[in-house]
Amino acid sequence: PAMASAAPAKRGRGRGKKQMTPGQRRLKSILSSYQATQKECMGIVTVVNDEEGTVDTHVDPRAAMENPVLVAADEADINKIYFMMMGLYGPDGEYGGAEILGYLELPDNFPYDPPNFVLLTPNALYTPNAGTPCVSIGKWHKNETSGVQGYSAGLGFMGFIRAIWGTYADPHALGGGINVIRAGPKEWRAAAEGSRAHNELKHRKVLDLFDEVYPDLDARRDHYRREWQARATADRAMSPAKGSAARA
């Protein structure tokens, strides 16, 4: 009698798949985080209804306007992430209306090592187009764990940018350090007033990148400028002497 042919051997699970290298996994993780952050900045909200089995995704304009820090990147080079900081104020309104551009460079060991960051817009706090400034969460303090010093991998790149954004509330608290500028209210106001025009003149390509991601960019810029003006008016009404000193 004829012998039955042997069944073909089963291939091991996943044997045909090409395994990702650690570097590829890192880039995939950063890209995923960037895309999620971008959706947050755009005000994209996803609502899951488990009972009906539906998923609704829509843009919430108010949620979009609650993000004074925006990010944009060429996904082919996700190790370099540009940011735009708006909604700044300063101790007494000196940074009102400022629009500050910069970028992060993510090291090979990110998020375990902090990113390098460079400010593109003259801002009278950090030296523009220079090396990474000395801040408590930056690379110059990454191995420190006492007090407020030291970097945490849990920040992620967006948490890091927001922390830099927060330093403009009280510039004097930085004291000094590498690529940190010692200035005062007069210089802060001048930098804020000239920031938008400088970006339009010197960094149009970067602004174009943001325009591609955020079609409502001009509306956002105008929103934060109006918000600053309203806050400054309210501050002057509450303290006329303080407002007069700020304008001097």
Side-chain angles (χ1 to χ4, degrees), residues 8-59:
K10 291 184 178 180
R11 300 181 65 183
R13 180 177 294 180
R15 185 177 296 173
K17 285 187 176 181
K18 185 177 180 181
Q19 297 297 313
M20 287 194 296
T21 66
Q24 289 171 327
R25 286 195 294 271
R26 169 187 168 277
L27 289 176
K28 183 178 179 180
S29 174
I30 292 171
L31 180 59
S32 176
S33 178
Y34 166 73
Q35 291 171 337
T37 300
Q38 196 177 72
K39 286 182 179 179
E40 178 188 344
C41 291
M42 294 172 71
I44 296 177
V45 178
T46 300
V47 179
V48 179
N49 189 321
D50 292 327
E51 292 183 1
E52 298 181 4
T54 59
V55 178
D56 174 47
T57 300
H58 63 277
V59 175

Side-chain angles (χ1 to χ4, degrees), residues 6 9 28 31 42 44 52 60 81 86 89 96-97 106 108 113 124 134 146 154 170 194 198 227 231 243 246:
K28 183 178 179 180
L31 180 59
M42 294 172 71
I44 296 177
E52 298 181 4
D60 182 343
I81 298 176
M86 299 176 287
Y89 196 70
L106 308 184
D108 291 341
D113 285 339
C134 180
S146 62
D170 184 13
H198 175 88
E227 188 177 75
R231 182 176 173 182

Side-chain angles (χ1 to χ4, degrees), residues 7-248:
K10 291 184 178 180
R11 300 181 65 183
R13 180 177 294 180
R15 185 177 296 173
K17 285 187 176 181
K18 185 177 180 181
Q19 297 297 313
M20 287 194 296
T21 66
Q24 289 171 327
R25 286 195 294 271
R26 169 187 168 277
L27 289 176
K28 183 178 179 180
S29 174
I30 292 171
L31 180 59
S32 176
S33 178
Y34 166 73
Q35 291 171 337
T37 300
Q38 196 177 72
K39 286 182 179 179
E40 178 188 344
C41 291
M42 294 172 71
I44 296 177
V45 178
T46 300
V47 179
V48 179
N49 189 321
D50 292 327
E51 292 183 1
E52 298 181 4
T54 59
V55 178
D56 174 47
T57 300
H58 63 277
V59 175
D60 182 343
R62 285 189 296 180
M65 289 299 179
E66 290 173 359
N67 287 290
V69 178
L70 304 180
V71 293
D74 179 352
E75 293 187 5
D77 184 16
I78 199 63
N79 284 317
K80 187 173 186 178
I81 298 176
Y82 288 93
F83 57 84
M84 173 185 277
M85 299 189 293
M86 299 176 287
L88 300 162
Y89 196 70
D92 293 304
E94 298 91 345
Y95 275 111
E99 296 176 4
I100 299 175
L101 294 173
Y103 63 86
L104 301 184
E105 290 180 328
L106 308 184
D108 291 341
N109 202 34
F110 181 84
Y112 304 105
D113 285 339
N116 296 312
F117 74 100
V118 174
L119 278 298
L120 297 174
T121 312
N123 58 96
L125 181 55
Y126 302 113
T127 306
N129 299 298
T132 295
C134 180
V135 294
S136 63
I137 57 170
K139 69 177 185 179
W140 306 112
H141 295 281
K142 70 176 183 178
N143 295 321
E144 298 181 28
T145 57
S146 62
V148 297
Q149 303 289 81
Y151 167 77
S152 168
L155 276 175
F157 63 81
M158 195 59 172
F160 187 92
I161 299 169
R162 285 173 174 153
I164 299 303
W165 180 89
T167 62
Y168 287 88
D170 184 13
H172 284 313
L174 285 175
I178 299 170
N179 292 322
V180 174
I181 300 172
R182 286 180 174 273
K186 181 179 179 180
E187 292 81 13
W188 300 336
R189 283 196 297 271
E193 290 170 1
S195 60
R196 186 166 184 169
H198 175 88
N199 293 336
E200 292 284 357
L201 181 64
K202 299 292 186 179
H203 303 296
R204 186 64 253 178
K205 288 185 178 180
V206 177
L207 290 176
D208 287 344
L209 186 61
F210 281 92
D211 276 327
E212 290 176 13
V213 178
Y214 307 99
D216 60 345
L217 181 61
D218 285 341
R220 291 172 185 250
R221 297 166 85 184
D222 292 340
H223 165 78
Y224 284 109
R225 186 169 289 272
R226 288 194 302 270
E227 188 177 75
W228 155 62
Q229 291 168 340
R231 182 176 173 182
T233 299
D235 281 355
R236 287 195 295 270
M238 292 177 63
S239 180
K242 184 177 179 180
S244 298
R247 292 192 300 272

